[in-house]
């Protein structure tokens, strides 16, 4: 599953944005504090594969669909003026097609509906399942699919280069014997100027990234005019657990620290942002969790330079006799939020209901889950 997720990140982020923004696969630790105990977190295929998860409430309605063996195949997000859908297709354990579709409901004036925006990337495989090539497409106004780029793979099915049809944007990926990305080169060129962004990676003996550096080189008429480093990431581990992460560019430094309990549950995450020019702290976030017998009992989030100036919230977690999460109660500066977790006769989570007691008490079904 981890290999499949890495392939998905590499495929989607490379084809959609041109490069992988952050190479360090540790944001799941930071994000785990964001939406604690949501479907897809604690219950991720632990009992039975999901068929569909529908999320309402706070934000735009979202529907996630899965196939019968637990692979995520579709996400649809409903915005006010348009709908965005992403569809993923597989062949065996490989993602062979990824499509993003943006469908407009109407224009701002409410008259003429804008045409759909569709981009897609498809891989072709041989009879043995080896990747031969990838092609990216974009839907044109005349309803034809125009080729926008190509992706090339080596004999180990590793993505080694991508290019658009003009040849102006080219990405190269280089690997070590452990199939780890050691080097990325992203090139953008016109008739006179060529910009090359290069990122190198260093790993420890456990194949964990400990350092990455991004460098930008500018060529004019094939002559190097400027070369400088502009982004760095350093990571530190203890007993294979991430304990420190520093992200730095020319303007800002972000320091993140992590602490764990004896069962390796992440219990403290602290992030501090500083200006490089004067060292002044511009932002601070602290998130803590408490576990009992490996069950989450309490969490707290504090954002801002002080409790008075920033946002805060704390949550209590209540479990049933079989250790299933039954209820959470969250308090923040806006009021109180209570979430109930409803299960079927097979102890599968099927629904979450929130009750917000602020100025107006409101009860709402936020998650509904269907299983195969």
């Amino acid at each position: 599953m981890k290999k499949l997720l890495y392939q998905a990140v590499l495929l989607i982020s490379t084809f959609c944005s041109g490069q992988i923004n952050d190479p360090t696969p540790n944001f799941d630790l930071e994000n785990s504090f964001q939406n604690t105990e949501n479907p897809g977190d604690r219950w991720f295929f632990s009992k039975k594969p999901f068929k569909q998860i529908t999320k309402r409430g706070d934000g735009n309605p979202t529907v996630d669909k899965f196939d019968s063996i637990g692979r995520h195949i579709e996400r649809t997000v409903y915005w006010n003026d348009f709908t965005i859908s992403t569809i993923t297709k597989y062949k065996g354990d490989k993602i062979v097609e990824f499509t993003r579709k943006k469908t407009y409901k109407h224009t701002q004036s409410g008259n003429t509906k804008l045409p759909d925006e569709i981009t897609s990337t498809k891989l072709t495989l041989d009879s043995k399942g080896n990747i031969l090539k990838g092609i990216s497409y974009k839907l044109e106004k005349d309803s034809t699919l125009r080729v926008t780029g190509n992706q090339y793979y080596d004999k180990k099915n590793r993505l080694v280069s991508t290019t658009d049809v003009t040849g102006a944007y080219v990405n190269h990926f280089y690997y070590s014997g452990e199939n780890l990305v050691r080097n990325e080169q992203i090139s953008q060129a016109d008739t006179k100027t060529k910009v090359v962004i290069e990122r190198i990676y260093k790993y420890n003996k456990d194949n964990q990234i400990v350092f990455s550096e991004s460098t930008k080189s500018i060529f004019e008429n094939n002559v190097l005019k400027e070369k400088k480093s502009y982004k760095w990431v350093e990571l530190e581990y203890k007993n294979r657990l991430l304990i420190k992460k520093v992200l730095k560019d020319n303007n800002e430094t972000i320091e993140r620290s992590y602490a764990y309990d004896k069962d390796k549950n992440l219990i403290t995450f602290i992030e501090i942002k500083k200006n490089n020019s004067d060292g002044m702290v511009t932002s601070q976030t602290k998130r803590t969790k408490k576990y009992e017998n490996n069950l989450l009992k309490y969490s707290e989030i504090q954002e801002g330079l002080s409790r008075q100036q920033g946002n805060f919230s704390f949550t209590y977690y209540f479990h049933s006799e079989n250790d299933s999460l039954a209820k959470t109660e969250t308090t923040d500066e806006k009021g109180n939020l209570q979430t109930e977790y409803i299960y079927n006769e097979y102890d599968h989570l099927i629904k979450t209901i929130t009750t917000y007691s602020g100025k107006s008490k409101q009860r709402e079904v936020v998650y509904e889950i269907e299983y195969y």
Side-chain angles (χ1 to χ4, degrees):
M1 179 62 73
K2 287 185 177 179
K3 181 179 179 182
L4 187 62
L5 290 174
Y6 172 75
Q7 290 175 342
V9 170
L10 188 63
L11 181 79
I12 295 168
S13 61
T14 302
F15 295 165
C16 293
S17 62
Q19 75 179 91
I20 304 171
N21 292 322
D22 192 313
T24 53
N26 300 298
F27 281 120
D28 54 332
L29 296 179
E30 292 127 32
N31 291 337
S32 67
F33 280 93
Q34 302 287 342
N35 299 306
T36 304
E37 302 293 354
N38 278 341
D41 180 4
R42 173 185 173 128
W43 301 279
F44 192 72
F45 307 121
S46 60
K47 297 177 181 178
K48 190 177 176 69
F50 298 133
K51 182 177 182 180
Q52 178 172 301
I53 300 177
T54 303
K55 179 181 182 295
R56 303 181 181 88
D58 189 25
N60 304 92
T62 302
V63 177
D64 287 291
K65 295 182 179 180
F66 304 81
D67 65 15
S68 59
I69 60 174
R71 298 177 303 192
H72 188 239
I73 57 175
E74 184 176 340
R75 164 168 284 192
T76 303
V77 183
Y78 298 91
W79 300 80
N80 290 332
D81 296 324
F82 54 84
T83 299
I84 294 180
S85 299
T86 55
I87 301 170
T88 307
K89 294 183 180 180
Y90 302 81
K91 188 172 183 180
D93 63 347
K94 295 182 179 67
I95 295 176
V96 295
E97 185 174 335
F98 179 80
T99 301
R100 184 181 186 274
K101 182 178 181 180
K102 187 175 183 180
T103 305
Y104 290 91
K105 298 176 183 177
H106 50 72
T107 61
Q108 291 184 349
S109 62
N111 297 323
T112 305
K113 179 179 176 294
L114 293 172
D116 295 345
E117 297 178 11
I118 299 177
T119 56
S120 183
T121 296
K122 300 179 182 180
L123 303 183
T124 56
L125 310 180
D126 64 16
S127 58
K128 296 181 180 180
N130 298 311
I131 303 175
L132 299 177
K133 188 180 178 182
I135 302 177
S136 296
Y137 303 88
K138 181 180 180 181
L139 184 68
E140 294 295 307
K141 293 182 180 180
D142 59 359
S143 298
T144 60
L145 285 173
R146 178 174 64 88
V147 175
T148 58
N150 296 283
Q151 298 81 42
Y152 302 94
Y153 293 76
D154 63 13
K155 293 181 179 180
K156 293 184 178 181
N157 289 328
R158 301 178 302 192
L159 180 64
V160 293
S161 66
T162 69
T163 180
D164 72 340
V165 291
T166 67
Y169 299 89
V170 181
N171 296 3
H172 293 286
F173 302 90
Y174 302 91
Y175 301 82
S176 70
E178 300 291 336
N179 289 332
L180 304 172
V181 178
R182 293 287 184 181
N183 184 287
E184 292 176 53
Q185 290 183 353
I186 297 93
S187 302
Q188 177 181 348
D190 55 27
T191 56
K192 293 184 179 181
T193 304
K194 180 180 180 181
V195 178
V196 178
I197 297 175
E198 182 177 12
R199 179 184 289 148
I200 60 170
Y201 307 108
K202 295 181 180 179
Y203 298 81
N204 61 17
K205 60 182 177 60
D206 298 314
N207 290 337
Q208 296 170 309
I209 295 177
V210 294
F211 178 78
S212 75
E213 180 180 9
S214 298
T215 304
K216 179 185 290 185
S217 300
I218 300 177
F219 297 83
E220 292 184 5
N221 297 319
N222 293 322
V223 177
L224 180 63
K225 293 296 184 181
E226 181 182 357
K227 182 176 182 179
K228 62 179 181 180
S229 297
Y230 69 101
K231 286 184 180 179
W232 303 263
V233 181
E234 295 183 30
L235 301 102
E236 183 179 346
Y237 303 85
K238 185 176 182 180
N239 298 324
R240 296 191 177 185
L241 296 174
L242 178 67
I243 60 172
K244 186 176 181 180
K245 181 176 184 179
V246 179
L247 303 96
K248 185 177 181 179
D249 60 20
N250 292 324
N251 300 312
E252 182 182 53
T253 297
I254 302 175
E255 298 177 354
R256 293 170 177 161
S257 60
Y258 314 80
Y260 307 81
D261 64 14
K262 60 182 179 59
D263 297 310
K264 298 183 179 181
N265 295 308
L266 181 63
I267 56 174
T268 306
F269 166 69
I270 299 175
E271 179 183 86
I272 299 174
K273 296 182 179 181
K274 300 178 181 179
N275 290 328
N276 292 342
S277 58
D278 55 13
M280 180 177 294
V281 175
T282 59
S283 173
Q284 183 169 297
T285 299
K286 183 178 181 180
R287 296 172 178 149
T288 58
K289 290 182 179 181
K290 293 181 181 179
Y291 291 82
E292 293 181 10
N293 299 322
N294 259 337
L295 294 177
L296 181 62
K297 293 293 186 178
Y298 176 83
S299 68
E300 182 176 334
I301 300 175
Q302 181 178 322
E303 297 177 329
L305 301 181
S306 69
R307 195 179 184 92
Q308 292 73 30
Q309 296 175 340
N311 301 322
F312 76 93
S313 70
F314 55 87
T315 303
Y316 291 92
Y317 302 84
F318 304 90
H319 298 79
S320 62
E321 292 182 355
N322 64 357
D323 292 340
S324 295
L325 184 63
K327 183 177 68 172
T328 64
E329 293 181 355
T330 300
T331 300
D332 59 21
E333 68 273 12
K334 298 178 182 178
N336 300 308
L337 178 71
Q338 184 181 99
T339 302
E340 302 171 66
Y341 297 82
I342 311 301
Y343 301 81
N344 62 16
E345 64 271 28
Y346 306 107
D347 200 28
H348 300 146
L349 181 70
I350 57 173
K351 187 183 298 184
T352 68
I353 303 174
T354 64
T355 303
Y356 178 71
S357 53
K359 293 183 179 179
S360 60
K361 192 170 183 178
Q362 184 178 357
R363 182 178 170 87
E364 184 176 24
V365 176
V366 176
Y367 283 97
E368 286 186 291
I369 305 173
E370 300 176 35
Y371 298 85
Y372 281 96

